[in-house]
Structures are given as C-alpha cells and as structure tokens.
Amino acid sequence: MAPFSWSRKKKVVRRRSYQKASSQSDESTASGQSNSNKKNDNSKEINTSIEDTIEYISQLLGENDDFVVRRFKVMGSASAVVVFFSHMTNNTQQEVLKPLMTIGSRREQAPLEGDELRDMLLNDFLYPSDGVTEKKWSMLVEGILGGRTIIHVEGMEEAFMFDTRNIDKRAIDQPQTEQVIRGPREGFIEVLCTNIALMRYRLQTPDFIVKTIKLGKLTRSDVAICYINGIVNPSLVEEVNRRLSIIEIDGIMDSGYLEQFIQDNHFTPFPQIQNTERPDKAVANLIEGRVVLLVEGSPIALILPSVFTQFYQTAEDYNERFLLMSFIRLARLLALVFSLIFPSLYVAIISFNPELIPTEFAVAVSGGRAGVPFPSVIEVLIMEVSMEVLREATIRLPQQVGGALSIVGVLVVGQAAVSAGFVSPITVVVIALTTIGSFATPAYNAALALRLLRFPLIIISGVFGLYGVMLGLILIVNHMLSLQSFGVPYLSPIVPGNFQGMKDTLIRSPLWWLKRRPTMLHTMEDTTVAEDQYENMRDAKKNVLEPKGDSTTVGGDKNGKASSNNGDSDGGHHI
C-alpha cells in the first residue's frame, strides 16, 4: 500500500467544480432562483457515487486552501473519499483512516458493498466511538464546517461522520470578574463541551439535562440549555425554547447576543438575566430550579430567571459562616445604595439645604468651594464624566499601562484640578467614595446600571434639591416594580413579600434555615434541606475530647484530672 499522503488532485476537482458551479449559476439566474438557495437544500440526500459527493462538496467548499479531499481504497478494492478542513482537525483524522487502510489482507472474508459493508466498517473496524452515518447533504456540510471528518465509500447510501475537531483552547483558569477568597478556582472557557463537563462533574445525577440547538445562519453556534429535570418548572423550559426558536440572526458571537433577544424589557438599564463565569454558581442556580444557557465560543453562562437581589450576592456568601457573610452582604448593599445617591445628595444639600450640614463642617466646605467658578451640580457632573472616561480608558488600555493610568488620573489630575480651582476638595472626596462604592457591586452589569442612573439623579437634584432626589428614587423603584424576568417579579422576594425568601435577601441565614427553593420559581420539588436537619446536628454532637468525671476516661481519673505516670511514660518531655 502507498504511503499515507495527501493528494493534490483536488485542484483539478476545484476547476471542474468551479466550471460546473458557474454553469449552474447561470441556469438558476435565468430561472429566477439563486444558487445559494440551491446549495442549502436541506432535504437533498447523497447517492452511492463518491464522484457526486466530491463534486457537490467541492462546489461549496473547494475554494478554501485548507480544504482537503483525499481518495483512498477500502479493503484494497472499494473506492472511498475523505473530506475535512486540515486546520480544524490537526491530523486527528488519521486515527479514523488507519483501520480502513490496513484491512486489505482480510478483504477475501468480508463483504465488499452495500449495507453489510457499512455495518462491518462501523462496528468492526472503525473504533472511534463518535462515528455516525448521515444521508443529508446539509448535515454533512455542517459537520465539515464544524471540524468533523466525512468518509464516503463507493456503493454506500450513507457517509461516515467522525468528530475529529482539534482546536487550541486556553486552559481552565480562575474567573477574572468573579474572584473569591474561599471557593473553587475554576472558570468557564470558550469551548462548550468543556463547560458542560465542568458542570456535569458537579452534578452527578441523571436528572441533569442538556439540550443543544444551533443559532445563527452563518455561525451555526451551539447553544446548550441546561436544567435539572424534576426540579425546574417545565413551563420555564418551554418558554426558554420558544424565545430561542424565534431568533433569526446571521451570527451569535457571545451569550450577550442571546440575552438581548430573550430578556423581557429591552428599554431598561437593569439587567434581567444574570451572567457568570463560575461553574459552581451556575450549578447552585440549577439546583434552585433555574435554567442555564451556554454558548459555543463564550465563557459567560446566562442564568434565568433572575431578580435584583441576585446581583449583589456572590458565590462566596455561602462558603463562609453566615454571621460573617451577613455583615459583608449588608456592607455591600450599603455601598450599592451609597454609589447611587451620594453625589445627588451632596448636590441637593450644598445647593438647597446647607442648613442640614453641621456648622463647623459647613465652614470647611464653604472654604474649600471658595473660588470654584461652577455651581455644585456642574462641578459634580464634570467629575463624574471624568471618572467614567478614566475608568473606560483603564479598561481598554493594556494591563501594564492601565494601572499606571488609574494612579496618574486619580492622584495627579485630581490634585491639579483642586489646585487650579476647577473643583473643590470635598467634591473629589465625594466622587472618590462613590466610585469605590460602585466597585463593591459584584455584578458588572448591575453596577453599570447604577452608574448610568447617577447622572439623571444628579441633574434632578440640582433642579429640585432633596425633593428631586426623592422623586428620582421613587421613579426608579416604580420602574423596578414593573420589571419581570420570565414572569418573575424583579424585586422578589421583597415585593411581593415572602418570608422564606427573606432569609436569603438582606442577610444570609444559616444553610439549615434555607429549607425551601425560591417560591417565585414554582419548582416541581421545593425541599433542599431536611426539615429536622438542625435537630439532627444538635443531637449528634459528641464532645469526645472534653474531660469528664468518668473513671474509664483514658488519661484521667474520675474527677476529670489527668493521671500522673511519675515520669515513666516516653510520651512526655524530658529535660
């Protein structure tokens, strides 16, 4: 048998295919039907001739330099062809071709054509476990574009398709946007199968279901719908499938594309779908009865439905003791509110109600504002816009330069602005504290919404004072009350109120108190912790090392005192 090498005869095939494609294009133009529509005929099936297979696939893909068409013999006599993209397979198709090209000595005792040949090759010689047979042209072409290898043997009405995709990917690393001190260090990457594996080894139950669909007319991106059967409400899964099925777009580059199509309200700054890079966070939400969406090529998973309280909670809240994390959660919530209203409160008090400031502090503020040519509202707006520009510049610049820019911008430019009399020192302090408060919000999209809402609040407070601040907050809360995420009220479980949900809202209650899944999700199974879990924990405690008044206690007498061995034991310290 000839050495294993790739034939360059495909260029001749390309010329012949190009001529045929040109003639077919002229005919279809005359009849008023485009050639692209003819190529994408999903109902067309292959025939037994490999020449037709080469002709059809080369017509579609033959102009690519990394497209390979390789003819070879199966069992020494049956003609066959293998088709693949070389840059997507990285020679992994050799594992498929080796058994086919080394069985020539056994051809006398094996059938040479038809279904018997197909069954023998698939079951006896082709050992890769992911091999399937396919008849439709559309599925074969889609498989080639996805990195699969297609093998068609002369006389067979089906072609073999093997998953030989081998694309370089980055290693699993700690998530950059959701870092924790105590918790797993794994994060999603861009490869969908790896992300599903990260979730599946945490959910080793047959009830964990993954359904995959393709979206995007050009990208044909795989979208995985993940849920736990028996917990999630079936109506939620049906609604997710319905919203995904009506998406018609050329390409899905990231999960953010899906978020914009399936969210309930498109004209609101508040995110209605939570995203995460953490597999443990995604699994925790699946256990609660939610649905998780994963997209091929995106390291960000979507969690739905979501409510506002989820955006200031972190995965670390449940890994530490509840007393500590309840305090941290309250501090985080205070920083969230602080970052929203602090600049507008400052403007309202300085401009309209300076009598609310203590006398000594008012003197200091007025002294700092002496010589500033702008009113407080313009001053705060200038500083806020400057901070937003500085923040965006820090993000977009390379990491080595971004840190230096943030330090220069905050220290040098801020001090120079105060010295030049453009802004007062108290304004710089207010904007700095506001920015720090916005950094304490765990979810980037929620923090971005609060940053956006600060500007109308500042303007309305500069016009109406404290009355304007209260009016703006009422409008924001009223807007949040009108929002829903897949039918779930956005401010649940606060409005409508639910005592069980309140245990994990403002504070984080002990895990054995969180016995029910969120009521707003209407799950099929609502129990997460045993009803008598705390009693079992309390009754099961045994302080085995506590000194007792039992004469049988090892190392002590009946009064609980350690017995002396007069220095005879080798276990003591000797001088």
Side-chain angles (χ1 to χ4, degrees):
M1 183 170 291
F4 189 75
S5 60
W6 302 122
S7 173
R8 294 298 175 184
K9 295 182 180 180
K10 61 178 182 179
K11 296 187 179 293
V12 179
V13 175
R14 287 181 184 174
R15 296 194 200 100
R16 188 167 64 247
S17 303
Y18 178 76
Q19 296 172 358
K20 184 173 181 179
S22 301
S23 61
Q24 289 180 349
S25 177
D26 296 337
E27 294 175 359
S28 60
T29 302
S31 62
Q33 184 178 9
S34 67
N35 191 35
S36 60
N37 292 336
K38 185 176 181 180
K39 291 177 182 179
N40 295 326
D41 187 3
N42 293 331
S43 62
K44 194 172 182 180
E45 296 183 354
I46 67 174
N47 53 36
T48 58
S49 173
I50 65 169
E51 297 299 331
D52 292 343
T53 301
I54 296 174
E55 197 76 20
Y56 185 89
I57 297 180
S58 298
Q59 176 184 346
L60 295 177
L61 308 174
E63 295 301 318
N64 298 283
D65 291 336
D66 59 341
F67 177 69
V68 177
V69 177
R70 166 77 160 96
R71 297 173 182 267
F72 65 100
K73 295 288 186 179
V74 175
M75 310 179 78
S77 59
S79 299
V81 62
V82 58
V83 183
F84 58 92
F85 278 112
S86 60
H87 292 166
M88 297 189 71
T89 59
N90 196 18
N91 293 328
T92 53
Q93 71 285 337
Q94 296 184 14
E95 299 300 324
V96 179
L97 291 177
K98 283 180 181 179
L100 291 176
M101 301 180 70
T102 57
I103 58 176
S105 61
R106 288 167 283 180
R107 63 182 182 271
E108 294 82 5
Q109 57 185 359
L112 297 179
E113 61 183 10
D115 294 339
E116 293 181 349
L117 175 61
R118 178 201 62 195
D119 295 339
M120 183 201 67
L121 293 178
L122 188 61
N123 298 328
D124 297 339
F125 296 106
L126 293 176
Y127 47 81
S129 60
D130 51 10
V132 296
T133 57
E134 185 57 56
K135 290 184 177 180
K136 292 186 177 181
W137 286 117
S138 59
M139 299 302 296
L140 294 176
V141 173
E142 185 175 303
I144 297 173
L145 294 173
R148 295 175 176 85
T149 295
I150 305 300
I151 297 177
H152 189 200
V153 181
E154 185 74 33
M156 291 179 51
E157 297 180 350
E158 295 175 316
F160 298 107
M161 184 163 60
F162 297 92
D163 189 3
T164 55
R165 182 171 62 174
N166 188 3
I167 301 176
D168 290 336
K169 58 185 179 182
R170 66 183 177 95
I172 297 175
D173 198 2
Q174 183 173 354
Q176 297 299 317
T177 59
E178 297 177 273
Q179 297 187 13
V180 296
I181 297 176
R182 181 173 183 176
R185 297 296 193 270
E186 294 173 331
F188 288 129
I189 63 173
E190 286 73 15
V191 181
L192 179 61
C193 58
T194 303
N195 295 339
I196 295 176
L198 288 174
M199 297 174 61
R200 196 171 283 283
Y201 94 88
R202 285 181 168 85
L203 275 176
Q204 299 184 19
T205 170
D207 295 328
F208 177 43
I209 306 298
V210 178
K211 299 289 186 181
T212 305
I213 62 175
K214 288 187 177 292
L215 292 179
K217 291 185 291 185
L218 298 180
T219 59
R220 303 299 295 163
S221 304
D222 288 327
V223 178
I225 306 171
C226 309
Y227 57 92
I228 299 181
N229 194 23
I231 294 180
V232 69
N233 193 314
S235 300
L236 175 60
V237 179
E238 293 176 4
E239 178 64 15
V240 172
N241 279 285
R242 188 191 67 80
R243 295 191 186 187
L244 292 176
S245 64
I246 61 177
I247 296 177
E248 294 184 5
I249 188 174
D250 286 343
I252 300 293
M253 301 292 106
D254 185 77
S255 59
Y257 283 59
L258 295 184
E259 180 181 357
Q260 298 175 63
F261 279 105
I262 65 177
Q263 62 185 357
D264 289 69
N265 192 322
H266 303 280
F267 302 99
T268 177
F270 292 101
Q272 301 143 71
I273 297 177
Q274 190 179 21
N275 58 67
T276 182
E277 291 185 79
R278 301 187 61 85
D280 58 322
K281 186 174 181 178
V283 168
N285 282 273
L286 286 175
I287 294 175
E288 285 189 348
R290 292 182 172 88
V291 175
V292 172
L293 297 182
L294 298 169
V295 180
E296 181 72 50
S298 174
I300 307 295
L302 300 181
I303 300 172
L304 47 97
S306 299
V307 294
F308 180 72
T309 56
Q310 293 178 250
F311 293 98
Y312 63 83
Q313 300 173 356
T314 65
E316 195 174 13
D317 289 358
Y318 304 91
N319 298 333
E320 276 286 359
R321 291 173 293 165
F322 70 96
L323 286 176
L324 304 178
M325 298 317 299
S326 295
F327 170 75
I328 296 299
R329 181 177 290 185
L330 288 174
R332 198 183 299 136
L333 181 60
L334 179 62
L336 183 148
V337 177
F338 193 77
S339 66
L340 175 64
I341 67 174
F342 194 40
S344 56
L345 277 178
Y346 168 74
V347 171
I349 292 175
I350 292 296
S351 302
F352 292 88
N353 303 98
E355 68 276 3
L356 297 178
I357 308 176
T359 304
E360 294 80 3
F361 186 62
V363 172
V365 170
S366 60
R369 288 190 49 79
V372 176
F374 308 110
S376 60
V377 60
I378 301 299
E379 185 184 5
V380 171
L381 284 175
I382 290 175
M383 288 300 298
E384 280 287 354
V385 172
S386 301
M387 288 301 299
E388 291 298 328
V389 173
L390 179 62
R391 191 199 312 256
E392 186 66 18
T394 304
I395 294 175
R396 304 306 165 194
L397 281 175
Q399 186 176 2
Q400 294 81 359
V401 184
L405 176 64
S406 62
I407 297 175
V408 171
V410 172
L411 296 180
V412 179
V413 178
Q415 182 62 37
V418 172
S419 301
F422 286 116
V423 295
S424 62
I426 186 63
T427 303
V428 175
V429 173
V430 168
I431 299 303
L433 292 177
T434 302
T435 304
I436 294 173
S438 66
F439 289 153
T441 304
Y444 174 77
N445 48 5
L448 190 60
L450 298 179
R451 286 161 51 188
L452 175 64
L453 291 173
R454 278 207 300 263
F455 289 94
L457 275 180
I458 292 172
I459 295 174
I460 198 173
S461 66
V463 177
F464 299 104
L466 290 176
Y467 175 77
V469 176
M470 295 305 301
L471 179 62
L473 292 178
I474 290 173
L475 292 176
I476 292 173
V477 173
N478 186 64
H479 172 68
M480 296 175 69
L481 287 171
S482 67
L483 296 178
Q484 289 185 341
S485 178
F486 287 82
V488 176
Y490 195 57
L491 290 183
S492 298
I494 301 174
V495 179
N498 179 265
F499 176 73
Q500 180 66 27
M502 292 287 188
K503 296 179 181 179
D504 191 26
T505 302
L506 298 179
I507 63 172
R508 204 275 281 176
S509 299
L511 295 179
W512 54 87
W513 283 11
L514 306 177
K515 300 177 181 179
R516 299 284 185 270
R517 292 185 173 86
T519 307
M520 56 192 172
L521 298 178
H522 304 287
T523 55
M524 305 297 292
E525 172 64 38
D526 63 346
T527 302
T528 59
V529 180
E531 291 289 344
D532 55 351
Q533 177 64 43
Y534 180 72
E535 290 75 11
N536 293 339
M537 292 166 48
R538 182 186 58 194
D539 298 338
K541 288 191 298 185
K542 294 182 179 180
N543 299 323
V544 296
L545 299 182
E546 181 181 1
K548 299 179 180 179
D550 187 0
S551 59
T552 60
T553 303
V554 178
D557 57 14
K558 63 180 181 179
N559 295 322
K561 297 181 181 180
S563 59
S564 174
N565 53 17
N566 296 323
D568 294 335
S569 173
D570 293 334
H573 296 280
H574 302 277
I575 299 178

